Amino acid sequence: MLDYPISLRLLLVVGSLFTVVFVLGRIRRAKIQIEDSIFWFAFSAVLLLLSIFPELAYWAAGTLGMQAPINVVYLGIIFLLILKVFFMTLRLSQLDSKLKALAQKVALNEEKIERQHQDR
């Protein structure tokens, strides 16, 4: 079993820690909600685990019948990002529906106020 070069492992650890610090900074500045940050914390944790224990990628590759562990890593990252895009699309659709309903309520309220002014 081959091992990742130490420089790659260090890069993955630094990247994971940088992501956590960056997301925490965004939470403190109220630029991201805690619910949204959970995905990025989990993503960082997975990268950290793979950098500390590269044998996990080899085990997953062997279990799934893949030739190279990097294929497992790429497949996992692609799957997670597609899943994230799907949930963001759902949320965007919900927000769009709420925005339409809110705009209609505002328009009805403005019309009601306008009628009241005209009746005086």
Side-chain angles (χ1 to χ4, degrees), residues 10-35:
L10 287 174
L11 183 65
L12 288 173
V13 169
V14 169
S16 299
L17 295 176
F18 175 75
T19 302
V20 168
V21 170
F22 183 75
V23 171
L24 284 174
R26 292 292 174 172
I27 290 172
R28 284 191 193 124
R29 289 187 221 112
K31 301 260 182 186
I32 188 173
Q33 294 180 356
I34 294 174
E35 297 83 22

Side-chain angles (χ1 to χ4, degrees), residues 3-114:
D3 203 3
Y4 295 157
I6 192 70
S7 59
L8 178 59
R9 292 175 80 174
L10 287 174
L11 183 65
L12 288 173
V13 169
V14 169
S16 299
L17 295 176
F18 175 75
T19 302
V20 168
V21 170
F22 183 75
V23 171
L24 284 174
R26 292 292 174 172
I27 290 172
R28 284 191 193 124
R29 289 187 221 112
K31 301 260 182 186
I32 188 173
Q33 294 180 356
I34 294 174
E35 297 83 22
D36 296 331
S37 65
I38 291 171
F39 170 82
W40 295 110
F41 288 137
F43 192 76
S44 293
V46 169
L47 282 180
L48 190 61
L49 280 175
L50 285 174
S51 63
I52 295 173
F53 306 108
E55 49 276 350
L56 290 174
Y58 287 95
W59 173 81
T63 303
L64 296 173
M66 295 184 174
Q67 287 184 324
I70 195 67
N71 293 341
V72 173
V73 174
Y74 286 148
L75 185 64
I77 288 172
I78 290 168
F79 174 75
L80 287 175
L81 293 176
I82 288 173
L83 195 64
K84 179 67 174 168
V85 168
F86 175 74
F87 283 115
M88 288 177 66
T89 302
L90 285 177
R91 208 159 138 200
L92 183 62
S93 295
Q94 292 171 348
L95 289 173
D96 190 43
S97 296
K98 287 180 181 181
L99 181 62
K100 284 180 185 176
L102 184 61
Q104 290 171 351
K105 286 180 183 179
V106 168
L108 289 173
N109 283 340
E110 286 177 355
E111 183 181 345
K112 183 178 177 181
I113 291 170
E114 192 175 303

